[in-house]
Amino acid sequence: VFNAMSYSEDAKDVYRYIQDHTEENATISFNKPPVVAINTNRTSVSDISLAEQGVPLYLLITEDEYAEHQVTDEFASLADLEASYGVTLTLVYENPLFQLYSVAR
């Protein structure tokens, strides 16, 4: 689960943002759920389809070229992801390596 990207300054920055600006019961979808859960004290899942209905949902993606497979890799664009899952994504935060989207279902 550990790699340098997971604990880079950009990662720590986005974890702080999640802690400070998302609901305590929010679910964060990311390719490494344990890393996000440990560092944000939020529920985390590997795919947005696995998130419990009725709770705030966010999608965290990374621009790190060495990152493990993530849900966005399966789609040509975020618009394709939105169409496939029937959701709307709104960018709420970004830094050089990460983007955090709110997910409206």
Side-chain angles (χ1 to χ4, degrees), residues 35-60:
V35 172
V36 171
I38 290 167
N39 287 287
T40 66
N41 199 31
R42 300 293 186 269
T43 300
S44 187
V45 295
S46 60
D47 190 291
I48 59 177
S49 66
L50 301 174
E52 182 181 333
Q53 291 292 324
V55 299
L57 177 59
Y58 296 85
L59 173 64
L60 180 62

Side-chain angles (χ1 to χ4, degrees), residues 69-103:
H69 178 79
Q70 54 188 342
V71 68
T72 53
D73 294 340
E74 299 171 19
F75 300 94
S77 68
L78 288 178
D80 288 345
L81 184 149
E82 288 176 307
S84 179
Y85 283 97
V87 300
T88 301
L89 301 176
T90 303
L91 182 66
V92 295
Y93 187 74
E94 68 180 320
N95 66 31
L97 284 183
F98 293 90
Q99 297 87 45
L100 181 68
Y101 294 85
S102 66
V103 180

Side-chain angles (χ1 to χ4, degrees), residues 1-22:
V1 171
F2 175 81
N3 71 21
M5 186 270 301
S6 297
Y7 295 96
S8 68
E9 289 305 311
D10 287 326
K12 290 188 247 180
D13 172 64
V14 79
Y15 301 151
R16 278 189 301 274
Y17 181 87
I18 289 168
Q19 288 176 320
D20 294 343
H21 296 94
T22 66

